[in-house]
């Protein structure tokens, strides 16, 4: 699944590269979200096999991804940006195999190879060990659709940014996990079109605080909220004085959406929440460690593994 906004050239390159996959994906889902550059026309004319949705005016990448996940037919859904694609042509078959080895996983994320031959972040390269993580990028991840449908899913009112950490937390709360798999690489060109680092910071910070208000249990909610505010303010300080002066913009945005996030509140246990927070600095490397920290998983792992090994397993993009 791919959501795109006014990056017609990037999307064309990605869809061309997906056409080289062998075996091919069972389906390719594309959402043109508020596009004004002829994206929808290009997809219809050059890639008529893709399932296309056109949203005008645009609603944001998060509602688009949520809709595609619910409409997908595949058991596994590969999530890409319009400027990212699998590096290897045999990605689909290898993806099935890796998921079969990890029945405990609801989401799998992969190294992102950027321009210049560098991996970002540097500690998640094709040479890094596989491990469980607290967050992932939707431009380089694959998801079990059944697990997603059992969870609240991406909060549509986030619009853009931070849906991935929030869903990772949901996954751990439901007895599954998020795994970084170094053997499958995603080439991410990271197009500069429609990117604004300050705007992204404001959206990410606002949505992170909303996630705290939805998921964090009492009496820890006020402390975790202050901790998140402090961390985001420190980030703004590192970026410069102009960012610091503009921090109140997202504070006000968070307050305006407080009632919406509170209505969606579904707190989880403090044990799970704290273990998820610690994963960012203390990764876990195997199912035994995962069980020790998060508690025994509720998944029927043998059944899940058997299902994924079947040749009939479908993969969507």
């Amino acid at each position: 699944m791919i959501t795109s906004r006014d990056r017609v050239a990037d999307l064309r390159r990605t869809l061309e590269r997906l056409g080289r996959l062998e075996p091919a994906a069972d389906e390719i889902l594309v959402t043109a979200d508020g596009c004004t550059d002829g994206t929808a026309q290009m997809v219809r004319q050059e890639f008529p096999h893709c399932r296309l949705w056109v949203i005008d005016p645009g609603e944001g990448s998060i509602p688009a991804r949520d809709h595609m996940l619910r409409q997908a037919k595949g058991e596994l859904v590969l999530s890409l940006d319009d400027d990212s694609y699998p590096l290897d042509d045999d990605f689909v078959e290898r993806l099935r195999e890796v998921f079969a080895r990890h029945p405990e996983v609801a989401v799998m994320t992969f190294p992102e190879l950027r321009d210049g031959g560098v991996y970002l972040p540097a500690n998640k390269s094709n040479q890094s060990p596989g491990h469980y993580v607290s967050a992932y990028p939707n431009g380089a991840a694959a998801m079990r659709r059944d697990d997603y449908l059992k969870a609240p899913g991406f909060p549509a009112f986030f619009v853009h940014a931070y849906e991935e950490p929030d869903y990772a937390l949901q996954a751990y709360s439901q007895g599954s996990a998020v795994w970084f798999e170094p053997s499958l690489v995603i080439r991410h060109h990271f197009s500069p079109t429609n990117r604004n680092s300050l705007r992204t910071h404001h959206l990410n910070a606002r949505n992170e605080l909303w996630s705290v208000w939805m998921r964090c249990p009492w009496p820890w909610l006020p402390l975790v909220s202050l901790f998140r505010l402090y961390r985001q303010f420190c980030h703004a300080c590192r970026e410069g004085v102009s960012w610091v002066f503009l921090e109140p913009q997202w504070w006000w945005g968070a307050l305006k959406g407080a009632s919406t996030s509170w209505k969606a509140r579904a707190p989880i246990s403090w044990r799970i929440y704290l273990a998820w927070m610690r994963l960012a600095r203390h990764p876990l490397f195997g199912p035994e460690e995962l069980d020790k920290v998060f508690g025994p998983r509720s998944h029927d792992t043998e059944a899940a593994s058997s299902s994924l090994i079947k040749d009939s397993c479908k993969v969507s993009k």
Side-chain angles (χ1 to χ4, degrees):
M1 65 173 184
I2 304 169
T3 180
S4 184
R5 174 170 291 188
D6 289 342
R7 291 186 193 154
V8 64
D10 293 297
L11 179 61
R12 177 184 288 112
R13 176 180 55 196
T14 292
L15 294 177
E16 288 174 348
R17 292 299 297 259
L18 292 179
R20 302 179 191 177
L21 295 177
E22 183 59 42
D26 294 279
E27 59 178 356
I28 298 176
L29 297 82
V30 178
T31 296
D33 182 58
C35 292
T36 59
D37 64 349
T39 290
Q41 182 179 4
M42 183 275 293
V43 174
R44 290 190 183 107
Q45 291 180 350
E46 300 180 27
F47 306 94
H49 59 284
C50 293
R51 297 177 64 190
L52 174 67
W53 290 270
V54 178
I55 302 177
D56 187 23
E59 297 178 352
S61 61
I62 295 175
R65 286 192 172 107
D66 176 78
H67 178 261
M68 287 187 287
L69 276 164
R70 298 182 186 280
Q71 295 298 316
K73 300 175 183 177
E75 183 177 352
L76 304 177
V77 181
L78 175 63
S79 179
L80 299 171
D81 283 346
D82 49 18
D83 56 0
S84 68
Y85 49 80
L87 190 62
D88 300 314
D89 291 347
D90 61 349
F91 187 93
V92 169
E93 187 61 35
R94 292 169 61 192
L95 180 66
R96 292 188 178 111
E97 294 170 355
V98 174
F99 263 98
R101 293 198 299 269
H102 288 279
E104 79 283 3
V105 167
V107 182
M108 196 168 290
T109 183
F110 316 105
E112 290 185 63
L113 180 62
R114 299 289 183 87
D115 294 343
V118 299
Y119 288 91
L120 288 179
N123 65 344
K124 288 185 173 61
S125 74
N126 63 341
Q127 300 299 314
S128 303
H131 57 280
Y132 299 103
V133 294
S134 61
Y136 64 95
N138 256 328
M143 307 171 65
R144 292 188 201 269
R145 181 172 175 271
D146 285 349
D147 282 341
Y148 184 83
L149 297 180
K150 295 174 185 175
F154 300 150
F157 61 93
F158 279 17
V159 180
H160 181 72
Y162 205 78
E163 78 276 18
E164 304 102 328
D166 184 76
Y167 180 65
L169 177 56
Q170 295 176 47
Y172 284 106
S173 72
Q174 293 189 331
S176 53
V178 181
W179 175 259
F180 170 74
E181 175 54 49
S183 68
L184 298 174
V185 177
I186 297 295
R187 179 69 171 93
H188 196 171
H189 291 277
F190 207 73
S191 170
T193 305
N194 287 336
R195 293 194 191 275
N196 182 304
S197 56
L198 177 60
R199 179 184 63 195
T200 300
H201 163 65
H202 284 180
L203 291 173
N204 188 77
R206 180 200 68 182
N207 295 346
E208 181 182 55
L209 192 58
W210 283 348
S211 177
V212 172
W213 294 346
M214 288 191 296
R215 316 292 180 204
C216 187
W218 289 100
W220 308 103
L221 189 149
L223 289 175
V224 175
S225 297
L226 290 173
F227 172 72
R228 295 304 192 190
L229 283 164
Y230 169 74
R231 290 291 300 275
Q232 293 293 351
F233 186 76
C234 288
H235 175 71
C237 289
R238 289 192 294 269
E239 293 295 329
V241 175
S242 61
W243 280 45
V244 173
F245 279 118
L246 293 174
E247 278 294 272
Q249 288 185 0
W250 80 259
W251 298 346
W252 176 240
L255 288 175
K256 288 196 296 184
S259 61
T260 302
S261 59
W262 198 257
K263 289 177 183 177
R265 181 166 167 77
I268 65 173
S269 75
W270 177 242
R271 176 184 177 178
I272 299 295
Y273 198 97
L274 181 60
W276 168 77
M277 288 181 65
R278 287 176 171 171
L279 264 183
R281 288 183 170 79
H282 304 284
L284 305 174
F285 297 92
E288 296 80 10
E289 291 182 79
L290 186 69
D291 285 349
K292 182 177 180 180
V293 173
F294 284 91
R297 298 182 303 279
S298 60
H299 272 43
D300 184 349
T301 57
E302 291 185 3
S305 179
S306 175
S307 174
L308 280 170
I309 291 174
K310 294 179 180 178
D311 291 339
S312 60
C313 172
K314 295 184 178 181
V315 179
S316 298
K317 289 187 184 61

